[in-house]
């Protein structure tokens, strides 16, 4: 009997120890994995998407601070104050203004609606940005809401902003009536000046288009004459099939260029013409190579100095008078001239009462040049070759260039791409202090 009791107590002890060890293991696992993987913070895209369909967004880290009933009351207040169009974000405690400022501005740019954006932390600190209210006015509104909980402060802020918006609307209406009389007298003079300026602009554009069309027609005619001189009989069964194929493609390109020239009504329409011309000139070069029993040449960008020369054969270093040296593609003859210190054969186009190199003949020739190099890097190639020329300076000033969005960056806990941040927003630091630039490159 005694031995059985001893065996029972021993078994009970082992079971208790196993239970304690299991509990300790579970606690360790909870510590390791629970604290190692905190909840992912809401990123800018999530906040922007939320505010696109609602005027209130409560981030994951702040949901415990705003009960569902409070959220419903806040949304109702924000929705009824339509003139102020306030959109609010509730974030977790401890978020700094250096993080909230850029987040608010980025979210506002993404949502692309709403006039005032306000952020409040779970521990009650508030700041705002607005297109209609100045930083000083925002700080005054925030100060008037001090002392309340999140629901009370946001509702009060929305009501005050609505009253301010109504006041501004009334003041703007009075000012509009005052200035209306002045504007009526000014409109006649301004309208007359605009009509004169518009007429001159149209005349200038028509003159530039006529010059451009003459220049393009010269290129088209030259390709047609080149095709006619070769005068291949594509129906001849003895003709090399490769020569026939290139020759037919050259003729088709010529037809496309001629038709596009006839349809062209704006400088931009000329890009289609020169794209077809570049294609036709290459196929004429390939046709002659096949007929001569030579390898079909590599397809390279047209000769920079004169695209009428057809495909280039090599790149040479060249600088315009007084300009910076750069690498440009050149045909065999122009490459020889440049390497020997001679002047290459420039493509001179109609300009005013004379002629100029196409890269110095004004913005109307930008699509013309772009078409020739569309298959070889387009404006990226041209902008490098034309540094210091009229077209080059225009391209560096924005022609054809696309400025990408500001790259992704650390939003200090909000995550996501910050988007393209524009101007027009005034900051109110509110409980964080004065407004202003919040750094971080924004």
């Amino acid at each position: 009997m005694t031995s059985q009791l001893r065996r029972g107590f021993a078994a009970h002890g082992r079971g208790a120890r196993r239970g304690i060890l299991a509990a300790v293991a579970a606690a360790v696992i909870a510590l390791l994995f629970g604290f190692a993987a905190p909840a992912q913070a809401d990123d800018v895209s999530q906040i922007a998407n939320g505010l696109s369909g609602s005027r209130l967004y409560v981030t994951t880290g702040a949901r415990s601070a705003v009960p569902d009933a409070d959220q419903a009351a806040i949304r109702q207040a924000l929705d009824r104050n339509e003139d102020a169009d306030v959109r609010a974000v509730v974030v977790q405690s401890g978020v700094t203004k250096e993080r909230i400022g850029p987040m608010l501005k980025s979210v506002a740019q993404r949502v692309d609606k709403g006039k005032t954006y306000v952020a409040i932390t779970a521990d009650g600190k508030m700041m705002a940005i607005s297109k209609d209210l100045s930083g000083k006015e925002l700080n005054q509104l925030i100060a008037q809401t001090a002392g309340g909980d999140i629901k009370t402060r946001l509702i009060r802020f929305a009501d005050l902003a609505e009253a301010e918006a109504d006041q501004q609307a009334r003041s703007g209406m009075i000012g509009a009536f005052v200035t209306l009389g002045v504007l009526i007298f000014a409109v006649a003079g301004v309208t007359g000046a605009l009509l004169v300026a518009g007429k001159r602009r149209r005349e200038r554009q028509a003159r530039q288009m006529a010059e451009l069309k003459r220049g393009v027609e010269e290129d088209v005619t030259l390709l047609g004459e080149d095709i006619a001189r070769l005068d291949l009989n594509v129906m001849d069964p003895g003709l090399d099939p490769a020569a026939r194929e290139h020759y037919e493609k050259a003729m088709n390109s010529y037809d496309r260029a001629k038709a596009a020239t006839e349809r062209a009504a704006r400088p931009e329409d000329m890009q289609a013409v020169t794209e077809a011309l570049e294609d036709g000139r290459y196929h004429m070069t390939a046709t002659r190579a096949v007929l001569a029993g030579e390898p079909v040449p590599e397809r390279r960008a047209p000769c920079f100095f004169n695209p009428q020369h057809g495909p280039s054969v090599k790149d040479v270093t060249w600088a315009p008078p007084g300009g910076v040296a750069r690498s440009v593609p050149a045909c065999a003859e122009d490459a020889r001239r440049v390497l020997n210190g001679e002047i290459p054969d420039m493509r001179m186009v109609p300009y005013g009462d004379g002629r100029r190199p196409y890269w110095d003949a004004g913005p109307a020739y930008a699509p013309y040049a772009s078409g020739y190099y569309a298959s070889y890097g387009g404006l990226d190639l041209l902008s490098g070759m034309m540094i210091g020329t009229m077209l080059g300076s225009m391209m560096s000033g924005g022609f054809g260039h696309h400025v990408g969005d500001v790259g992704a960056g650390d939003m200090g806990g909000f995550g996501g791409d910050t988007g393209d941040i524009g101007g027009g927003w005034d900051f109110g630091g509110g409980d964080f202090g004065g407004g202003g630039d919040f750094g971080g490159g924004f």
Side-chain angles (χ1 to χ4, degrees):
M1 182 67 174
T2 303
S3 61
Q4 290 177 348
L5 287 173
R6 287 176 178 173
R7 286 195 297 270
F9 283 128
H12 178 75
R14 286 194 298 272
R17 285 196 296 273
R18 282 196 297 269
I20 293 171
L21 289 174
V24 170
V28 170
I29 290 171
L31 287 171
L32 288 175
F33 294 96
F35 291 110
Q40 181 67 34
D42 299 54
D43 61 24
V44 169
S45 296
Q46 289 174 308
I47 297 173
N49 289 337
L51 289 179
S52 295
S54 171
R55 287 188 168 93
L56 174 67
Y57 185 89
V58 181
T59 63
T60 304
R63 286 175 187 168
S64 61
V66 191
D68 291 344
D70 287 2
Q71 293 186 34
I74 295 169
R75 285 192 175 91
Q76 184 178 12
L78 294 173
D79 289 341
R80 73 169 175 260
N81 292 320
E82 294 183 354
D83 293 338
D85 199 357
V86 176
R87 292 171 191 264
V89 185
V90 183
V91 301
Q92 64 269 30
S93 300
V95 181
T96 64
K97 69 176 183 179
E98 287 78 14
R99 293 160 61 185
I100 292 179
M103 178 275 290
L104 276 181
K105 202 169 186 182
S106 182
V107 167
Q109 291 296 114
R110 283 173 174 260
V111 176
D112 197 26
K113 56 185 175 181
K115 300 175 182 178
T116 298
Y117 280 73
V118 59
I120 186 168
T121 64
D123 53 358
K125 292 184 178 180
M126 181 185 287
M127 71 178 302
I129 64 173
S130 178
K131 287 185 174 180
D132 289 352
L133 304 173
S134 68
K136 181 178 179 180
E137 290 169 331
L138 289 171
N139 286 333
Q140 290 175 345
L141 296 187
I142 293 172
Q144 292 178 59
T145 70
D149 56 19
I150 293 175
K151 180 187 80 170
T152 303
R153 294 198 70 183
L154 288 178
I155 293 175
R156 177 67 173 152
F157 182 91
D159 292 341
L160 291 171
E162 182 75 3
E164 186 67 26
D166 293 341
Q167 177 61 34
Q168 289 183 357
R170 286 191 294 271
S171 300
M173 186 174 297
I174 294 172
F177 282 119
V178 171
T179 57
L180 181 60
V182 177
L183 289 176
I184 290 174
F185 288 104
V187 163
V190 172
T191 302
L194 290 175
L195 289 174
V196 172
K199 180 180 179 182
R200 290 176 179 173
R201 183 179 64 255
R202 288 190 297 273
E203 290 174 348
R204 182 177 65 255
Q205 291 173 342
R207 183 177 66 254
Q208 291 173 344
M209 185 62 189
E211 293 171 353
L212 173 61
K213 200 158 192 174
R214 286 204 314 274
V216 172
E217 286 172 345
E218 292 172 359
D219 287 13
V220 175
T221 300
L222 194 64
L223 176 60
E225 292 173 348
D226 191 29
I227 293 172
R229 275 195 302 271
L230 196 56
D231 193 24
L232 292 184
N233 180 8
V234 296
M235 303 302 295
D236 182 0
L239 183 63
D240 187 302
R244 179 186 295 110
E245 180 182 1
H246 284 297
Y247 191 67
E248 287 179 340
K249 287 181 177 179
M251 290 191 293
N252 291 337
S253 296
Y254 168 74
D255 291 338
R256 288 201 315 273
K258 189 174 180 180
T261 304
E262 293 172 354
R263 293 193 305 267
R266 305 173 304 156
E268 291 80 1
D269 299 332
M270 293 305 181
Q271 180 168 338
V273 180
T274 51
E275 284 182 12
L277 289 175
E278 184 275 327
D279 188 66
R281 293 193 190 287
Y282 168 74
H283 287 297
M284 284 303 296
T285 302
T287 301
R288 286 191 167 88
V290 173
L291 293 175
E294 299 171 354
V296 174
E298 173 191 4
R299 185 153 189 174
R300 287 175 50 92
C303 176
F304 169 78
F305 302 106
N306 190 340
Q308 292 177 346
H309 295 168
S312 60
V313 297
K314 64 188 301 183
D315 294 341
V316 295
T317 300
W318 171 83
V324 179
R326 78 291 314 272
S327 178
V328 296
C331 65
E333 179 59 22
D334 281 333
R336 183 195 64 77
R337 291 181 179 182
V338 171
L339 294 175
N340 290 336
E342 302 173 14
I343 299 175
D345 178 24
M346 309 287 190
R347 171 66 174 112
M348 309 295 285
V349 296
Y351 184 86
D353 295 330
R355 284 181 172 264
R356 285 189 181 184
Y358 72 93
W359 57 77
D360 269 332
Y365 277 89
Y368 167 92
S370 180
Y372 273 121
Y373 299 96
S375 299
Y376 308 95
L379 287 172
D380 289 334
L381 174 66
L382 280 175
S383 60
M385 294 192 299
M386 294 189 176
I387 297 172
T389 67
M390 183 180 292
L391 288 187
S393 61
M394 180 191 66
M395 290 171 185
S396 65
F399 177 84
H401 281 239
H402 172 66
V403 179
D405 289 344
V406 175
D410 182 7
M411 283 298 296
F414 293 103
D417 182 4
T418 63
D420 184 13
I421 298 176
W425 295 92
D426 285 321
F427 274 93
D431 297 321
F432 289 96
D437 189 357
F438 293 93
F442 299 98

